[in-house]
Amino acid sequence: MSRKKKVLPLLEGVTITDVAAEGKALARVDDMVIFVPFAVPGDVVDLQVKKKKHSYCEAEVVRFIEYSKVRVTPFCQHFGVCGGCKWQNLPYEEQLKAKQQQVENQLRRIGKIALPECNPILGSVKTKEYRNKLEFGCSNKRWLTKEEVASGAAFDNMNAIGFHITGAFDKILPIEECRLMDGMNNDIRNEIRDYALAHNIEFFDLREQRGLLRDIIIRHSNSGEWMVIVQFHYEQQEDEQRAKGLLEHLAQRFPQISSLLYVDNQKCNDTIGDLEVMVYKGNDHIFLHMEDLKFKVGPKSFYQTNTEQAYHLYSVARRMAGLSGKELVYDLYTGTGTIANFVAKEAKKVIGIEYVPEAIEDAKVNSAINGIDNTLFFAGDMKDILNDEFIAEHGRPDVIITDPPRAGMHNDVIDTILRAHPQTIVYVSCNPATQARDLSLLDKDYQVVEVQPVDMFPHTPHVENVVKLTLKK
């Protein structure tokens, strides 16, 4: 006998009271905490519970009874379906308050260490068209909205280029317009879609792992350059010729593209770090500018996606480092050497370490093209390279600047930092929760003396945070 499906309740007349984690809103009914997407504090709503646990549940709005006075109209036609910008209905100043609170709560709750008063968050210079990179998936199974499903209509064309839907890895929400990047991103993406449909190019099937058109990455620099990387999946002999037909069309249609690249990806995921990226037209890189420096960025390079705000983020890190020109600085997780080269003029020497070899080669080039001769870069796993022998050979750092991925730093790396005993550590993080965990381990010898949140991603719950630590006396 099949197990009877549990009927979850409908909650009527619930007032949304607060902003919660992951871009959700929060309400309380009796002793139950309820997490709700796409609502804002002050909304009065009817909620359908979707998942129920012992102390909380997740629900979605089925009817708005009264809209909040702080609510604003989202500027994107895909809001509420696309999961990228969960806070477009929340005024930007309210977003900043929520992010500030998120940083403070996570540092105190997870870190459980002594903290100074947190500096006011630095808001983004731009709140629209602020990104320099977007990635779009291609699929032969487009996501149907609730309205489309309810209509019962049959759709002849199920191909789509857009963003993946959370919880449905093989479905793509077709994106007509994304306003987080310069508008030409829409022209390029939609032109690829239209050409592929007109020439019967098969869109990728993520379950079956077949289809020619797979993924698109678009990058834009503040010098006006454009990079487009198209991922294909070759199956037949003529596929490469058909792919190059699309690339030639793009080259003719958009002369602004100075770096037109392509990949044949036969893997089960869309990452290109271990694949050969081929040049169809132009260069294999673009340049982004910061202050009086320029940085070479290739298809595999990491560069902060909010160009203008990256300058403010790195300016905070440089100020916290307190350099006088006499210091040996280690820049951990250096990427393309952006921070290393940005602080080099105020240091005696900067050593950068990064996992991706191509990024390290770009870091070296970035030093060369900017006339910087006091940097040294190494490629490899951080926990393997940064050890006592490395420090004995290259010198004990006076300052360590670390900007790890979301997972934070490996315990071995933290142990090595503690043994290296730099006077100052500047910790740049895109995930205050893992940063707080790492700070609790560093608390053995270090005290936090400054905390500075920086908003890099308006309309999302993500926030960067910079912390300065100094040796305890």
Side-chain angles (χ1 to χ4, degrees):
M1 181 182 292
S2 62
R3 191 174 181 179
K4 190 174 181 181
K5 190 174 181 180
K6 187 176 182 180
V7 178
L8 295 172
L10 175 71
L11 306 174
E12 298 180 321
V14 178
T15 300
I16 303 296
T17 59
D18 209 344
V19 175
E22 300 177 0
K24 297 176 182 177
L26 185 145
R28 288 182 173 84
V29 174
D30 298 326
D31 295 328
M32 181 66 68
V33 175
I34 308 167
F35 297 104
V36 185
F38 305 116
V40 301
D43 284 339
V44 181
V45 295
D46 290 344
L47 297 174
Q48 176 61 59
V49 175
K50 292 295 183 179
K51 185 184 295 184
K52 192 173 186 301
K53 300 291 184 180
H54 177 68
S55 59
Y56 75 93
C57 62
E58 297 179 18
E60 64 179 33
V61 177
V62 293
R63 182 171 75 102
F64 282 94
I65 299 171
E66 182 181 330
Y67 286 110
S68 169
K69 293 179 181 179
V70 302
R71 171 181 283 271
V72 294
T73 303
F75 57 82
C76 177
Q77 62 182 292
H78 303 294
F79 176 79
V81 184
C82 169
C85 299
K86 294 181 173 67
W87 280 352
Q88 279 190 24
N89 54 2
L90 191 65
Y92 188 53
E93 58 271 20
E94 295 299 320
Q95 296 178 31
L96 293 179
K97 289 179 186 177
K99 293 185 183 192
Q100 175 101 22
Q101 193 63 50
Q102 174 189 335
V103 169
E104 294 181 7
N105 288 348
Q106 290 180 329
L107 292 189
R108 297 186 188 282
R109 178 173 52 83
I110 300 172
K112 295 182 173 63
I113 57 175
L115 293 169
E117 184 176 349
C118 186
N119 293 340
I121 188 170
L122 292 179
S124 179
V125 177
K126 291 181 177 179
T127 58
K128 299 176 185 174
E129 298 188 356
Y130 62 82
R131 291 185 66 97
N132 57 44
K133 179 184 177 184
L134 285 173
E135 183 168 354
F136 301 98
C138 308
S139 175
N140 64 352
K141 293 182 176 65
R142 83 175 176 90
W143 177 261
L144 298 177
T145 65
K146 290 180 179 178
E147 292 76 18
E148 289 172 327
V149 172
S151 72
F155 296 90
D156 295 330
N157 175 28
M158 290 296 288
N159 294 313
I161 299 179
F163 296 130
H164 289 268
I165 291 291
T166 303
F169 81 96
D170 63 333
K171 300 293 196 303
I172 292 288
L173 174 69
I175 298 296
E176 188 67 31
E177 180 185 48
C178 180
R179 296 179 64 186
L180 296 187
M181 193 179 193
D182 181 285
M184 203 172 94
N185 94 85
N186 300 307
D187 298 334
I188 293 171
R189 183 191 61 257
N190 293 339
E191 190 69 25
I192 292 173
R193 177 201 62 198
D194 294 345
Y195 180 94
L197 291 174
H199 291 79
N200 296 315
I201 292 178
E202 188 177 6
F203 287 54
F204 197 62
D205 187 309
L206 285 146
R207 288 187 181 272
E208 300 294 330
Q209 292 288 298
R210 60 176 175 78
L212 180 57
L213 186 59
R214 179 166 184 161
D215 189 84
I216 303 161
I217 300 172
I218 302 175
R219 304 185 88 148
H220 180 224
S221 83
N222 52 0
S223 62
E225 295 179 289
W226 287 84
M227 173 187 286
V228 177
I229 311 163
V230 185
Q231 278 196 47
F232 297 106
H233 179 263
Y234 298 160
E235 294 180 67
Q236 306 172 48
Q237 193 170 3
E238 61 268 24
D239 278 349
E240 184 171 7
Q241 184 178 352
R242 299 178 75 202
K244 289 185 176 178
L246 169 58
L247 294 170
E248 182 58 30
H249 177 75
L250 281 181
Q252 296 294 328
R253 175 69 177 79
F254 300 102
Q256 306 97 318
I257 300 175
S258 58
S259 177
L260 182 54
L261 313 174
Y262 67 103
V263 178
D264 174 24
N265 184 356
Q266 298 293 323
K267 303 187 304 173
C268 292
N269 62 66
D270 292 330
T271 59
I272 63 173
D274 56 347
L275 299 177
E276 181 184 4
V277 180
M278 292 158 282
V279 178
Y280 183 81
K281 173 206 166 187
N283 303 312
D284 64 353
H285 62 273
I286 57 177
F287 286 104
L288 283 105
H289 296 256
M290 184 180 293
E291 213 165 63
D292 56 346
L293 305 173
K294 64 178 182 178
F295 295 95
K296 177 187 176 185
V297 177
K300 301 178 185 180
S301 300
F302 171 78
Y303 193 94
Q304 288 284 355
T305 52
N306 187 333
T307 305
E308 292 189 46
Q309 197 67 353
Y311 168 69
H312 296 285
L313 177 72
Y314 294 154
S315 294
V316 168
R318 184 172 63 184
R319 175 184 60 76
M320 286 188 181
L323 302 174
S324 66
K326 300 178 182 179
E327 294 84 4
L328 172 59
V329 179
Y330 280 14
D331 179 27
L332 310 185
Y333 313 92
T334 190
T336 56
T338 317
I339 291 180
N341 286 298
F342 189 67
V343 306
K345 65 183 179 182
E346 297 183 9
K348 181 180 179 181
K349 187 177 183 180
V350 183
I351 294 176
I353 305 173
E354 165 62 37
Y355 181 76
V356 180
E358 292 88 351
I360 284 296
E361 292 308 309
D362 284 346
K364 294 175 181 177
V365 171
N366 287 331
S367 288
I369 62 179
N370 288 293
I372 297 170
D373 58 7
N374 62 335
T375 56
L376 196 58
F377 295 101
F378 296 89
D381 193 309
M382 186 66 62
K383 70 180 188 302
D384 297 331
I385 289 188
L386 186 68
N387 53 36
D388 297 340
E389 291 75 17
F390 182 92
I391 293 169
E393 180 180 353
H394 297 285
R396 187 181 70 83
D398 302 293
V399 176
I400 286 181
I401 301 174
T402 181
D403 186 3
R406 291 191 62 79
M409 295 191 291
H410 193 279
N411 282 2
D412 291 350
V413 175
I414 293 174
D415 289 342
T416 303
I417 291 173
L418 288 169
R419 290 195 300 273
H421 239 52
Q423 180 62 40
T424 301
I425 300 171
V426 179
Y427 191 146
V428 182
S429 173
C430 60
N431 186 349
T434 55
Q435 183 186 46
R437 177 204 67 202
D438 293 348
L439 293 178
S440 69
L441 298 175
L442 292 167
D443 186 61
K444 173 185 174 184
D445 292 335
Y446 288 87
Q447 61 182 351
V448 175
V449 296
E450 187 175 358
V451 179
Q452 178 62 70
V454 181
D455 184 28
M456 302 290 290
F457 306 105
H459 315 302
T460 79
H462 302 298
V463 61
E464 298 264 340
N465 190 48
V466 191
V467 169
K468 178 179 180 179
L469 304 99
T470 59
L471 273 172
K472 292 179 178 178
K473 296 180 180 179

